[in-house]
Amino acid sequence: MIHEMSPPEQENSGDTSQDRVSQIVVKNMGTVVFGDTLYSFTTEGGKLISVHRPRGDYQIDRFDVDANKRRHGIGKELLRASYEHAKKLGADVLTAAISSRPSLDAMSSVFGLENIKVRTIENYPDEGEIDEATDATRAYLILDLSPTEPDEGL
């Protein structure tokens, strides 16, 4: 279940929707520079921080799943919750800079590889663990959320 929370000085929207993994809490962390609003998505074993800008951009800023909780769908559920939140806010583009192979795998599974520009990609080591400090994955997600106009004259 997804619960949205607001800072004490703002109203709680109360929107909820079903989540397969566990409860995801969305918290409005307040407005920062130039009217940007930060949001925190947390669940047992994972966290995602996003930024919504007044001009319509919605950026996934930080995305992490605890090492002992990976491969259970937590990351994908956080990404889906963030995507739904971006649409609810009326964002016209969702972006992210991707710097690890697990993040790239999760984002390509949720958003489609066609929406990701991959610059470099690191292979998984034999033992299955990645040294985050030396990981060479570098990719960018740019997902158009603007409503499509129906074709006239067809």
Side-chain angles (χ1 to χ4, degrees), residues 22-25 40-49 63-66 69 74-75 78:
S22 62
Q23 181 174 319
I24 296 176
V25 177
S40 169
F41 295 74
T42 55
T43 189
E44 183 180 335
K47 184 171 188 173
L48 183 148
I49 303 291
F63 170 57
D64 184 51
V65 175
D66 296 344
K69 300 281 187 175
I74 293 170
L78 286 166

Side-chain angles (χ1 to χ4, degrees), residues 1 25-27 35 40 49-50 65 68-69 73 76 78 82 91 93 95 97 111 128 134 141 143:
M1 192 167 276
V25 177
V26 181
K27 182 179 179 186
S40 169
I49 303 291
S50 64
V65 175
N68 61 344
K69 300 281 187 175
K76 290 177 187 174
L78 286 166
S82 182
V93 66
T95 64
F111 302 119
T134 61
L141 167 71
L143 182 64

Side-chain angles (χ1 to χ4, degrees), residues 21 23 35 65 69 89 114 116 119 124 144:
V21 177
Q23 181 174 319
V65 175
K69 300 281 187 175
L89 293 174
E114 67 275 7
I116 298 173
R119 297 289 187 187
Y124 283 107
D144 184 3

Side-chain angles (χ1 to χ4, degrees), residues 3-124:
H3 294 281
E4 185 165 335
M5 299 171 52
S6 298
E9 66 275 6
Q10 297 179 2
E11 284 187 34
N12 186 340
S13 74
D15 287 344
T16 62
S17 62
Q18 190 61 39
D19 176 55
R20 293 177 307 172
V21 177
S22 62
Q23 181 174 319
I24 296 176
V25 177
V26 181
K27 182 179 179 186
N28 179 328
M29 297 170 60
T31 303
V32 292
V33 180
F34 303 117
D36 296 354
T37 304
L38 293 176
Y39 293 93
S40 169
F41 295 74
T42 55
T43 189
E44 183 180 335
K47 184 171 188 173
L48 183 148
I49 303 291
S50 64
V51 181
H52 182 242
R53 295 186 171 85
R55 65 180 179 260
D57 297 357
Y58 189 94
Q59 178 183 347
I60 296 172
D61 187 55
R62 293 187 181 133
F63 170 57
D64 184 51
V65 175
D66 296 344
N68 61 344
K69 300 281 187 175
R70 291 181 183 160
R71 316 281 311 152
H72 292 90
I74 293 170
K76 290 177 187 174
E77 290 301 318
L78 286 166
L79 291 169
R80 287 183 188 107
S82 182
Y83 168 76
E84 291 299 326
H85 190 247
K87 289 191 328 183
K88 177 182 155 190
L89 293 174
D92 55 17
V93 66
L94 187 147
T95 64
I98 305 165
S99 60
S100 74
R101 180 65 186 265
S103 292
L104 174 61
D105 292 346
M107 288 193 190
S108 65
S109 175
V110 171
F111 302 119
L113 193 54
E114 67 275 7
N115 294 305
I116 298 173
K117 174 69 174 173
V118 178
R119 297 289 187 187
T120 59
I121 188 167
E122 181 69 21
N123 291 323
Y124 283 107

